[in-house]
């Protein structure tokens, strides 16, 4: 079993900052990409940022220059530093981890439970 536990969401004023964390635990052979998505009510889940095991990152255009994704491979943890937050960033954020399973030689995507980010004055 693999679990992803998120933390760090909350309420912040426009222009403020939050740091999300997501730690993977359980039966882990190797983690490939890790990332963050967000999903507003009635909308599809959209990619926010993704980072490879080697540290290469990609971002949605809407967050470039404001958000930074990073990871600590020793801790199986991915982070999302969110600066200059805007009201339109308000929604639930989900982390994911793509785990390679040696027994099946396949990669499986696991998801966190989601954490609410609210940007409001």
């Amino acid at each position: 079993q693999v679990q992803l536990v998120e933390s760090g969401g909350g309420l912040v004023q426009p222009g403020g900052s939050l740091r999300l964390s997501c730690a993977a635990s359980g039966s882990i052979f190797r983690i490939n990409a890790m990332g963050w998505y967000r999903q507003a009510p009635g909308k599809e889940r959209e990619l926010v940022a993704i980072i490879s095991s080697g540290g290469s990152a990609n971002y949605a255009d809407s967050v470039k220059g404001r958000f930074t994704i990073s990871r600590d491979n020793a801790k199986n943890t991915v982070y999302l530093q969110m600066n200059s937050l805007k009201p339109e960033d308000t929604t639930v954020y989900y982390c994911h981890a793509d785990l390679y399973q040696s027994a099946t030689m396949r990669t499986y995507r696991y998801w966190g439970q989601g954490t609410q980010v609210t940007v409001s004055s």
Side-chain angles (χ1 to χ4, degrees):
Q1 292 286 353
V2 175
Q3 282 190 318
L4 273 64
V5 178
E6 303 175 17
S7 60
L11 172 64
V12 65
Q13 292 186 343
S17 298
L18 283 175
R19 189 191 194 210
L20 305 183
S21 300
C22 173
S25 63
S27 179
I28 297 173
F29 177 74
R30 186 178 76 219
I31 301 178
N32 293 334
M34 302 182 81
W36 294 90
Y37 281 68
R38 63 188 181 186
Q39 185 170 23
K43 295 188 177 181
E44 292 187 358
R45 191 171 292 189
E46 63 171 355
L47 174 68
V48 176
I50 191 167
I51 185 167
S52 70
S53 57
S56 297
N58 285 288
Y59 299 90
D61 288 342
S62 58
V63 307
K64 282 182 181 177
R66 299 188 298 122
F67 292 9
T68 302
I69 189 171
S70 61
R71 63 189 285 174
D72 184 333
N73 291 331
K75 295 181 179 180
N76 294 328
T77 299
V78 62
Y79 306 95
L80 186 68
Q81 178 66 44
M82 304 185 293
N83 299 328
S84 303
L85 282 160
K86 304 175 181 180
E88 51 263 43
D89 295 318
T90 296
T91 190
V92 180
Y93 286 71
Y94 298 88
C95 69
H96 76 81
D98 296 341
L99 270 64
Y100 175 80
Q101 301 289 4
S102 59
T104 61
M105 294 188 292
R106 293 181 62 182
T107 299
Y108 300 87
R109 176 161 289 187
Y110 292 84
W111 293 94
Q113 79 281 5
T115 186
Q116 176 70 42
V117 171
T118 303
V119 184
S120 176
S121 55

